[in-house]
Amino acid sequence: MNMRDTVDIGLNRSARRGYDLDEVSIVPSRRTRDVDDVSTAWQIDAFRFDFPLVTSPSDAVVSPATAIAVGQAGGLGVLNAEGLWTRYDDPEPVYRRLREAAGDGAPPVALLQEVYAEPVKPDLVTTRVKEIREAGVTTAVRVSPQHTLQLAPTVLAAGVDLLVIQGTIVSAEHVTTSGDALNLKEFIADLDVPVIVGGAANYQTALHLMRTGAAGVIVGVGADSYSTTDTVMGIRVPLASAIADAAAARRDYLDETGGRYVHVIANGRIETSGAIARALACGADAVQLGEPLRAAAEAPGGGVWWDSVAAHPRLPRGGTSAPVDPVGSLHDVLLGEAHSADGRTNLFGALRRTMAKTGYRDLKEFQRVDLVLGGRSD
């Protein structure tokens, strides 16, 4: 921690000043570029994507069909191995209950807890993974840290390409007095597939996760507009600062290993194309999006949004939203055309234009763009 970034909050107690994405803005340079000369391509391990999207593993926006559609569009769809699609042979009646309970409001958290009380069925995990894999797109599945040892063998045997181990906060070392703790470094070393882990909230955690052998580290605690992690647990991550810290850890780890690059994936309140651009400008290689995708006509939640932690059986840390009307297809949301000026459609087409307006040819170059404090909230 740079002590120049700390302020006294009382006697013998200081805090570090952090910045959210809406507090920073991108500064154009002396050069601009034709938009057709810009590439938003991103690659992790052997897998290349046309734009830097990793979907949130929320059942509200990701089904096997939408994971396939995102992959075919050029992004990476991540299915939740502990979600509705692995608990129910046919989850459509469950989705219908949630939509009907929403009406003009939001479905109650108690209903989410009820429908997620159904156990995960390993045979359904296998079925869903194979469905995505057979479509010919990169197959990625999320498991929680506490269920990784139980579920990962099934996920891997089904033929997943990328394994995502994701919780609100993930550490390389979990201390427990009961049961077997997940040792990420040992676990990853035994795998033949790349692993993305997270979330990390600071430099030290990001660096430790990189040292486990992970191919990517998710930065941020996934707090969206409906998250109550701050209210329930007092945990909040100013995302611009967290991304910059993780990018510094990536640079130091690159030097430490003599060239091993670990990708930083930003996950937080990233809801508009401007926020995507800011996250990448702060040093992220890709962004993880969930809530913005609920406005796609293909979203299985029908415009309702909830994150997986909203259904936690003992300590839910997120709310649910009232349904929104679709603004267009998934392709419209991701790649346009846009028919509104609110930054919620053509998300990655807008990123290309930002890069062109600032003169950068690809994402690695764009990470060097100048930033200034004093951004305007989206």
Side-chain angles (χ1 to χ4, degrees):
M1 176 184 293
N2 186 337
M3 295 307 294
R4 291 175 300 176
D5 295 332
T6 64
V7 294
D8 292 333
I9 59 173
L11 293 175
N12 299 316
R13 191 62 168 144
S14 61
R16 185 181 176 191
R17 176 70 170 100
Y19 299 95
D20 280 312
L21 288 178
D22 60 10
E23 296 180 86
V24 301
S25 290
I26 295 166
V27 181
S29 67
R30 62 181 177 83
R31 178 185 294 113
T32 57
R33 187 180 295 275
D34 191 278
V35 70
D36 294 329
D37 191 34
V38 168
S39 171
T40 59
W42 172 63
Q43 182 165 335
I44 183 166
D45 202 82
F47 305 101
R48 184 185 183 280
F49 306 95
D50 293 337
F51 48 89
L53 167 67
V54 178
T55 68
S56 167
S58 167
D59 289 322
V61 294
V62 180
S63 65
T66 53
I68 292 167
V70 168
Q72 291 172 338
L76 176 63
V78 180
L79 185 73
N80 188 5
E82 300 167 37
L84 298 178
W85 293 89
T86 60
R87 297 173 189 264
Y88 297 90
D89 288 304
D90 179 11
E92 288 300 337
V94 178
Y95 280 112
R96 189 160 52 250
R97 283 186 67 192
L98 292 170
R99 289 192 294 268
E100 290 173 352
D104 295 328
V109 169
L111 177 56
L112 280 181
Q113 292 174 315
E114 176 190 333
V115 299
Y116 279 92
E118 181 74 17
V120 172
K121 301 174 177 60
D123 60 325
L124 283 178
V125 174
T126 300
T127 298
R128 305 311 186 197
V129 172
K130 288 185 174 179
E131 181 180 348
I132 300 171
R133 185 174 181 82
E134 288 170 0
V137 300
T138 302
T139 306
V141 171
R142 173 261 181 185
V143 292
S144 63
Q146 59 267 39
H147 294 131
T148 295
L149 295 177
Q150 173 190 355
L151 289 176
T154 300
V155 171
L156 295 167
V160 74
D161 295 312
L162 285 161
L163 181 66
V164 180
I165 302 174
Q166 184 175 5
T168 302
I169 298 291
V170 173
S171 64
E173 179 183 2
H174 178 68
V175 179
T176 181
T177 57
S178 60
D180 295 327
L182 173 65
N183 184 312
L184 273 174
K185 188 170 185 178
E186 292 179 0
F187 179 80
I188 291 173
D190 291 335
L191 298 184
D192 294 327
V193 302
V195 179
I196 297 171
V197 298
N202 57 21
Y203 171 94
Q204 292 85 357
T205 305
L207 183 59
H208 288 166
L209 291 177
M210 291 172 187
R211 288 172 174 164
T212 66
V217 171
I218 299 169
V219 177
V221 298
D224 53 59
S225 299
Y226 302 92
S227 172
T228 59
T229 298
D230 187 1
T231 302
V232 174
M233 301 178 69
I235 294 174
R236 185 171 65 87
V237 178
L239 193 55
S241 295
I243 295 168
D245 285 354
R250 178 184 60 205
R251 177 201 60 213
D252 292 347
Y253 183 69
L254 193 68
D255 292 341
E256 178 183 304
T257 59
R260 185 173 187 274
Y261 190 93
V262 179
H263 296 268
V264 171
I265 302 165
N267 178 33
R269 190 173 177 180
I270 305 174
E271 300 173 352
T272 63
S273 52
I276 293 171
R278 292 186 187 112
L280 297 169
C282 287
D285 297 289
V287 294
Q288 187 169 50
L289 300 184
E291 192 265 340
L293 306 184
R294 69 180 177 130
E298 298 92 330
V304 179
W305 166 253
W306 67 92
D307 199 0
S308 57
V309 293
H312 194 283
R314 294 177 302 280
L315 193 68
R317 299 184 300 281
T320 59
S321 77
V324 297
D325 293 330
V327 297
S329 68
L330 182 64
H331 188 278
D332 292 332
V333 171
L334 297 178
L335 300 168
E337 301 288 327
H339 300 289
S340 66
D342 60 1
R344 293 179 178 270
T345 49
N346 199 6
L347 295 173
F348 293 94
L351 172 63
R352 288 174 60 90
R353 193 161 295 274
T354 300
M355 293 169 64
K357 293 293 185 183
T358 52
Y360 293 95
R361 180 178 54 190
D362 57 39
L363 295 176
K364 294 309 299 177
E365 288 187 359
F366 183 61
Q367 289 174 345
R368 301 198 298 266
V369 70
D370 286 338
L371 296 171
V372 64
L373 287 176
R376 191 180 75 179
S377 173
D378 292 320

